[in-house]
Amino acid sequence: MVLFADVFCAGLHKSGEELCGDQWRVLRTDEKTYVVLSDGLGSGVKANILATLTTSIIITMLRENVALNDVIETVIETLPSCQVRKIAYATFTIISIDNQTMAFEVFNFDNPDPIFIRNNQRYDLECTERVLSGNTVKYCQGMAQEDDYLAIISDGVWYAGLGTRHNPGWGRGQIIDYMAQTLITPKTLNAEKVVRGVLTQTDALYANEPGDDASMAGVFFRPRREAMVFTGPPIDKNDDKKIAEQLVNFEGRKIVCGGTTGDIVARFLKKEIVIHKESIKHDIPPYFELEGVDLVTEGVLTLNKAYELMLEVEGDYSYLYIDKDGAMLLALELLVADDITFVVGQAINAFYQNPSLPLSVSIRRNLVEKIADYLRSLNKNVRVQYI
């Protein structure tokens, strides 16, 4: 089974500050997935600048394939230290994951230790200390399995609520217990659920007025989710059968967008398309059922509406499960998938060249490119094949 490192990062800013002094970045390459979390000294604008500088340097160097030890030494030597408190102006943690084997490394410079949960309980990683540029960096490594969860946090999570009445701070043990017993289950869908759960509890421990910036990056190791979207008939009708066969033999989720496209696949499968009457809405065409395909919708209008929905939900797509229509189902399929292949036919449909229609739906190709760019901004692997 091919696993996927599902990553989500979020944070809370200190009460009274407009900017978060913690920053995080994710970089995916063909070989590696990198997650970086930095905590700037203090809070507010200054801390934000320091943490942003730290994550930017790290990600830029990793993108250029610089060795991790060299990256860490460069950052340590570049960033100044506080002469009064004798500590770095920014701490950081780097996670490096091999996309094929799921072997991972964690380099931690003065942030709380990473948290690793397996089988709903704490799992101690193999960790050592390395001295780089005169500073001690904690190094941990492991090999992830399905449903494992790896998390890194800033100290604002660790000490949540410290000093308030009857509250000695959350602490590592309680964080791990909360994650393992409350949030991580066999039905965990993504990394986001756990991160949001921990930060909600952190905020509550601060009585909704965080006394420090608090952030978390979570990695949930789960089966890879793949989807193929076939939309628009090919220019050459002789390609109909070949493309339909490509879709039907695809091992992931199979999606068809467009009436003519649906007819092509239905003919290949020798099955009938059945309309889902309950999904009819005044502004959204219905979706359909076709044995052998996971989702069949109308074409450009539904693609456009799905794109608008994805922009609207901004990552929190829970409500897309509630009032199902063709656009919602399509948006959900795209947001849940990790690898998405669009197969786009370029035969011209005269209906969509109508000048009275909005420009956003006038050309299928431009619309698919917009959707693909947005999905890439969510760190998804997207390919577009034109036929």
Side-chain angles (χ1 to χ4, degrees):
M1 178 184 295
V2 179
L3 294 183
F4 178 74
D6 178 23
V7 182
F8 186 79
C9 313
L12 307 170
H13 56 76
K14 182 178 179 180
S15 179
E17 299 287 356
E18 293 186 5
L19 296 176
C20 184
D22 299 344
Q23 289 295 299
W24 48 87
R25 296 281 296 276
V26 179
L27 171 66
R28 292 190 190 274
T29 68
D30 290 340
E31 296 81 24
K32 299 280 189 176
T33 295
Y34 298 103
V35 185
V36 182
L37 175 68
S38 177
D39 181 355
L41 182 63
S43 58
V45 175
K46 180 180 178 180
N48 177 271
I49 292 172
L50 291 167
T52 299
L53 176 63
T54 302
T55 55
S56 296
I57 292 173
I58 292 172
I59 289 295
T60 299
M61 296 185 71
L62 290 175
R63 188 177 283 116
E64 297 300 320
N65 294 315
V66 178
L68 270 166
N69 279 0
D70 293 336
V71 172
I72 293 168
E73 289 184 329
T74 298
V75 175
I76 291 175
E77 292 170 2
T78 300
L79 292 173
S81 298
C82 176
Q83 297 304 308
V84 176
R85 298 169 65 181
K86 304 300 181 183
I87 57 176
Y89 269 121
T91 62
F92 60 87
T93 308
I94 304 171
I95 299 175
S96 171
I97 304 167
D98 186 296
N99 292 336
Q100 298 301 316
T101 65
M102 292 295 122
F104 64 85
E105 300 173 298
V106 183
F107 294 81
N108 186 24
F109 178 60
D110 285 350
N111 275 336
D113 290 342
I115 293 170
F116 191 70
I117 294 176
R118 173 174 290 170
N119 298 324
N120 293 94
Q121 59 185 356
R122 169 182 171 174
Y123 185 93
D124 291 325
L125 296 172
E126 180 183 338
C127 297
T128 57
E129 290 186 346
R130 298 181 178 182
V131 177
L132 300 173
S133 294
N135 290 269
T136 300
V137 176
K138 194 162 189 177
Y139 170 76
C140 305
Q141 62 182 335
M143 181 74 71
Q145 301 175 7
E146 184 177 353
D147 292 335
D148 285 349
Y149 201 98
L150 174 64
I152 53 178
I153 59 175
S154 66
D155 58 10
V157 177
W158 190 310
Y159 297 117
L162 183 65
T164 60
R165 173 180 279 187
H166 307 305
N167 192 344
W170 196 352
R172 178 181 174 82
Q174 288 181 295
I175 294 172
I176 293 173
D177 288 344
Y178 180 77
M179 290 173 61
Q181 297 173 16
T182 309
L183 301 172
I184 302 176
T185 70
K187 294 183 179 180
T188 297
L189 290 174
N190 51 36
E192 178 181 356
K193 170 188 171 185
V194 180
V195 172
R196 291 196 183 279
V198 169
L199 291 180
T200 297
Q201 181 68 3
T202 298
D203 197 29
L205 289 170
Y206 278 122
N208 303 119
E209 293 184 355
D212 190 10
D213 301 302
S215 59
M216 175 176 175
V219 185
F220 180 49
F221 296 91
R222 55 164 174 74
R224 198 172 194 90
R225 300 168 183 159
E226 300 182 347
M228 177 178 286
V229 181
F230 177 23
T231 178
I235 295 175
D236 187 348
K237 284 185 173 295
N238 293 323
D239 288 334
D240 287 3
K241 181 179 178 181
K242 179 181 70 175
I243 300 303
E245 185 175 18
Q246 178 184 345
L247 177 76
V248 170
N249 291 334
F250 183 69
E251 293 186 357
R253 300 285 292 179
K254 306 171 183 63
I255 304 163
V256 173
C257 298
T260 305
T261 317
D263 290 339
I264 291 172
V265 179
R267 283 198 301 271
F268 177 81
L269 290 171
K270 298 180 181 179
K271 303 289 184 181
E272 289 188 5
I273 295 178
V274 180
I275 187 171
H276 196 281
K277 296 180 180 179
E278 293 80 5
S279 68
I280 297 176
K281 293 184 177 180
H282 74 279
D283 59 339
I284 303 173
Y287 64 90
F288 307 86
E289 295 178 1
L290 174 61
E291 186 178 341
V293 177
D294 297 294
L295 177 63
V296 180
T297 73
E298 180 274 338
V300 173
L301 295 172
T302 302
L303 280 164
N304 187 66
K305 184 62 178 178
Y307 175 61
E308 292 175 353
L309 282 171
M310 288 190 290
L311 296 178
E312 181 182 323
V313 299
E314 295 183 340
D316 183 10
Y317 47 86
S318 55
Y319 88 85
L320 294 177
Y321 288 92
I322 300 173
D323 186 18
K324 294 180 181 178
D325 57 43
M328 285 188 173
L329 289 174
L330 177 57
L332 192 59
E333 291 279 2
L334 297 175
L335 289 170
V336 167
D338 306 310
D339 294 293
I340 303 144
T341 300
F342 287 95
V343 180
V344 184
Q346 298 187 86
I348 294 175
N349 185 330
F351 175 74
Y352 293 119
Q353 308 311 309
N354 185 336
S356 67
L357 289 172
L359 180 62
S360 59
V361 299
S362 64
I363 303 175
R364 188 189 306 264
R365 178 170 181 153
N366 289 350
L367 178 56
V368 170
E369 288 291 348
K370 286 199 301 184
I371 294 173
D373 286 343
Y374 177 70
L375 293 171
R376 291 186 184 109
S377 75
L378 301 179
N379 295 309
K380 297 181 183 295
N381 183 27
V382 183
R383 296 171 294 276
V384 183
Q385 173 188 348
Y386 294 103
I387 51 177

